[in-house]
Amino acid sequence: MGRFVAERRSITLEISDQLLCLFSADIRDEGDRYVVEVPRREVETGAVDSGSTYRVALISADEETETDEETVSDTPPDQPQPPVEPGETRYVEIEDIGKQGDGIARVERGYVIIVPGAEIDERVKIEVTEVKSNFAVGEIIDDV
């Protein structure tokens, strides 16, 4: 289980290591059922598969909760947070080579880390140097 602590007031949420994605959504009444829509990007990035069954947890979106979420990140609440942070060290396996010849590794939810100088099937220890909403860049520290 991971921990999440909001900065404005002391909130601690236990987050399962099995968490695939996190997003905000409205619940729509369709008469005989209620529908929660999963954003297309969650399927496109590989976080979830269409047609599969998942557990869903609902957290109240009252004003106080929304304020705390805004304090923690600049990412809009309907977008998942990047699973890495600048300065973080990771072991990754290079799965592909990008158009400019850089190694491509994928971590949680299909999130991409670009690793210059890495080769396909190489396993390397990296330090994350730059983080964007849809990808990160990592620098090789050591070959594994």
Side-chain angles (χ1 to χ4, degrees):
M1 293 258 178
R3 281 197 176 279
F4 167 82
V5 179
E7 294 176 13
R8 279 201 174 173
R9 63 182 177 126
S10 183
I11 297 176
T12 303
L13 299 174
E14 294 293 326
I15 300 181
S16 170
D17 293 333
Q18 295 175 333
L19 178 69
L20 299 174
C21 61
L22 180 63
F23 58 89
S24 294
D26 293 323
I27 297 177
R28 190 174 65 242
D29 184 350
E30 291 191 349
D32 63 336
R33 65 184 173 164
Y34 294 93
V35 176
V36 176
E37 291 186 11
V38 175
R40 178 174 294 282
R41 72 180 164 279
E42 298 299 338
V43 176
E44 290 173 350
T45 62
V48 297
D49 294 320
S50 179
S52 296
T53 302
Y54 298 94
R55 284 191 224 170
V56 176
L58 302 175
I59 301 172
S60 175
D62 61 19
E63 285 184 40
E64 199 169 304
T65 303
E66 288 175 7
T67 301
D68 289 338
E69 288 175 4
E70 289 169 9
T71 302
V72 174
S73 172
D74 293 334
T75 304
D78 66 337
Q79 294 187 9
Q81 299 296 314
V84 297
E85 296 179 5
E88 182 177 336
T89 302
R90 287 268 186 135
Y91 291 91
V92 297
E93 185 167 338
I94 306 304
E95 300 175 10
D96 204 353
I97 296 294
K99 292 179 184 176
Q100 297 180 356
D102 297 325
I104 304 289
R106 288 180 180 79
V107 293
E108 296 88 51
R109 303 184 322 262
Y111 186 81
V112 170
I113 300 179
I114 299 170
V115 184
E119 303 292 329
I120 289 181
D121 295 330
E122 188 176 12
R123 185 159 170 76
V124 293
K125 181 179 180 181
I126 63 162
E127 179 178 340
V128 177
T129 57
E130 184 178 349
V131 176
K132 302 289 185 185
S133 62
N134 57 345
F135 74 95
V137 177
E139 197 174 288
I140 297 174
I141 296 174
D142 194 16
D143 291 329
V144 180

